[in-house]
Amino acid sequence: DLERIQADHPVLRRSELIARGIDDSLCTAMIRRGGLTRLRHGVYALSRLADAADPIERHRIDLAAAIASARDPVWAFGASAALTRSMPLPFAVPSELGLVRGSGLDERSLRQPSQHRLVIPDARIVTGPVPAQSGDVLRGVRVVAPALSALSAAAGLTSGRWRTALFD
């Protein structure tokens, strides 16, 4: 059942697991036995899928985990948005997560790991007015609109050729 859910959503929130009848003790047992991987506080992935993920898929899983752990709306942005939209980039995978959040929102949940030992990728968090209807959810990742994805990714590139490729 969890594999079917995770096919469309790369991460599982604790609240979703509880809603499906998996209580905290079973969740803890699944983590101990290696069936679940804790990505952030209250955010998990099936270990088999996370371990088998290629670097692009792992970036998408990490994006989804960061977005799921945020208390307020957050979207993939910059090179992360371009990667999620399969836009051309001069590198295989961005070195950090690119996220954008609305003005005046708290970003602590995006940066702070839980009390557990986790490897949380670096994130570049931009603050700005992003209306909720200005993006899409692609394979479980909330991402800004295509034009903003291209523009924000191009802003971080030094090559004019790659900027042109993004805009095409």
Side-chain angles (χ1 to χ4, degrees):
D1 185 42
L2 291 179
E3 287 187 29
R4 194 167 21 102
I5 296 166
Q6 199 160 4
D8 296 326
H9 304 283
V11 298
L12 304 162
R13 288 188 180 127
R14 179 183 170 275
S15 59
E16 294 166 341
L17 293 170
I18 290 171
R20 298 200 177 273
I22 299 172
D23 64 13
D24 284 333
S25 60
L26 182 54
C27 193
T28 301
M30 290 174 73
I31 291 167
R32 269 193 229 126
R33 291 182 190 136
L36 278 180
T37 298
R38 182 180 283 120
L39 301 172
R40 294 196 178 227
H41 183 69
V43 181
Y44 309 90
L46 291 175
S47 297
R48 188 180 56 73
L49 298 177
D51 293 343
D54 63 26
I56 292 172
E57 183 65 15
R58 184 57 202 220
H59 189 82
R60 188 176 74 84
I61 290 169
D62 290 335
L63 273 172
I67 290 168
S69 71
R71 294 180 191 108
D72 298 302
V74 178
W75 293 267
F77 186 73
S80 292
L83 181 78
T84 302
R85 292 191 174 279
S86 300
M87 294 177 168
L89 291 168
F91 41 82
V93 179
S95 60
E96 59 190 5
L97 302 177
L99 303 165
V100 64
R101 66 187 183 100
S103 301
L105 299 176
D106 187 5
E107 69 182 49
R108 287 177 292 181
S109 62
L110 295 171
R111 293 196 186 275
Q112 292 181 350
S114 68
Q115 71 272 18
H116 308 284
R117 294 176 189 250
L118 302 173
V119 177
I120 304 258
D122 288 335
R124 174 173 290 176
I125 303 166
V126 177
T127 300
V130 181
Q133 65 275 15
S134 70
D136 304 302
V137 177
L138 301 175
R139 297 182 60 219
V141 176
R142 197 168 39 228
V143 61
V144 295
L148 186 52
S149 295
L151 182 65
S152 61
L157 299 176
T158 57
S159 167
R161 286 184 173 171
W162 281 105
R163 282 191 227 122
T164 302
L166 270 168
F167 291 128
D168 283 348

